[in-house]
């Protein structure tokens, strides 16, 4: 087995080994492996390189590649998905949770909107993120958003829409959409699991 490093670094290394974010066509996981379909197989690194970057082994079938990494797959894949969503994998400064500064702001702001499932829609206009919610009473007040230190300068509520003025609104909104999609899929998966048991 290759070197052991942080989840964040492994995610960056594996994406580089897959030929970069733009070469990843689809990405899923199972219990111990990351399954990726790539666009151009010629851009993918050797099995030796994947192993040097921490993989246990690599299985290839045409453009479908399975990187066996062990039980750390969810953490690594979470960071990979964040990076694929539009952040530069080579310039990303990741914190101890595998988040870039934009990803960290998006996660903190996302959590201000209450329980999972409360966000119905996220849009952006200039430096304003507009979040439509099911229940406004679940949303943190403006002073709490200000105390987070993520750059929120104003918050206005009209009906069930919250208007948040913040720098980097487009990038933060993109990350919030990715979080919301992930949470929705996770919730649907849990609902299906409960129905099947």
């Amino acid at each position: 087995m290759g070197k052991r490093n942080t989840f964040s670094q492994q995610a960056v290394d594996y994406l580089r080994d897959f030929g970069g974010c733009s070469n990843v066509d689809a990405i899923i996981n199972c219990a111990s492996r990351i399954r990726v379909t790539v666009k151009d197989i010629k851009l993918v690194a050797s099995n030796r390189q994947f192993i040097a970057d921490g993989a246990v082994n690599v299985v290839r079938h045409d453009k479908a590649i399975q990187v066996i990494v062990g039980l750390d797959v969810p953490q690594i894949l979470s960071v990979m998905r964040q990076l694929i969503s539009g952040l530069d994998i080579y310039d990303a400064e990741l914190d101890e949770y595998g988040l870039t500064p934009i990803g960290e702001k998006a996660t903190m702001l996302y959590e201000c909107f209450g329980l999972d499932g409360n966000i119905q829609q996220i849009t952006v206009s200039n430096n304003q993120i507009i979040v439509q919610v099911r229940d406004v009473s679940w949303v943190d007040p403006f002073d709490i958003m200000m105390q987070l230190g993520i750059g929120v300068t104003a918050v206005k509520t009209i009906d069930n829409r919250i208007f948040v003025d913040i720098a980097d609104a487009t990038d933060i909104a993109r990350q919030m959409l990715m979080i919301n999609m992930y949470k929705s899929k996770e919730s649907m998966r849990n609902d299906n699991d409960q129905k099947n048991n």
Side-chain angles (χ1 to χ4, degrees):
M1 186 181 352
K3 67 183 179 190
R4 298 298 299 164
N5 51 23
T6 66
F7 302 140
S8 303
Q9 187 60 52
Q10 281 184 286
V12 169
D13 290 345
Y14 293 151
L15 281 172
R16 182 197 60 231
D17 295 345
F18 284 121
C21 292
S22 60
N23 197 40
V24 174
D25 198 30
I27 185 167
I28 58 173
N29 69 287
C30 62
S32 64
R33 49 187 82 198
I34 299 166
R35 299 173 188 262
V36 172
T37 304
V38 296
K39 295 174 185 171
D40 185 349
I41 194 68
K42 293 181 288 225
L43 298 177
V44 178
S46 67
N47 289 8
R48 184 179 303 198
Q49 183 60 52
F50 279 101
I51 292 168
D53 289 332
V56 174
N57 204 353
V58 180
V59 179
R60 297 173 185 245
H61 183 67
D62 296 325
K63 292 183 176 184
I65 301 165
Q66 298 178 38
V67 179
I68 304 167
V69 297
L71 298 178
D72 297 339
V73 168
Q75 295 90 333
I76 295 167
L77 194 63
S78 174
V79 177
M80 289 177 74
R81 286 185 172 134
Q82 290 172 22
L83 297 173
I84 288 171
S85 70
L87 299 171
D88 185 341
I89 66 170
Y90 303 106
D91 294 333
E93 297 174 27
L94 303 175
D95 68 7
E96 65 270 25
Y97 302 106
L99 297 173
T100 63
I102 293 292
E104 185 176 25
K105 288 178 184 179
T107 301
M108 292 171 75
L109 187 58
Y110 182 87
E111 291 172 352
C112 290
F113 290 93
L115 302 172
D116 289 342
N118 195 39
I119 293 177
Q120 295 180 306
Q121 184 177 21
I122 301 169
T123 56
V124 68
S125 176
N126 297 320
N127 277 338
Q128 192 172 68
I129 299 173
I130 305 150
V131 181
Q132 184 173 327
V133 296
R134 282 181 174 42
D135 189 338
V136 175
S137 69
W138 291 353
V139 179
D140 289 343
F142 172 63
D143 62 330
I144 290 179
M145 291 187 196
M146 288 287 293
Q147 291 172 15
L148 294 174
I150 59 174
V152 174
T153 56
V155 177
K156 179 172 63 173
T157 303
I158 300 175
D159 298 324
N160 65 336
R161 290 177 300 156
I162 316 297
F163 298 79
V164 180
D165 291 359
I166 188 169
D168 301 316
T170 301
D171 293 333
I172 292 170
R174 183 183 302 128
Q175 291 294 306
M176 289 175 68
L177 282 166
M178 293 299 295
I179 295 167
N180 203 42
M181 285 187 341
Y182 176 77
K183 297 271 188 186
S184 296
K185 287 179 182 177
E186 193 175 68
S187 177
M188 287 172 42
R189 194 176 317 118
N190 289 340
D191 289 347
N192 287 337
D193 288 348
Q194 287 177 356
K195 287 177 186 174
N196 293 333
N197 290 334

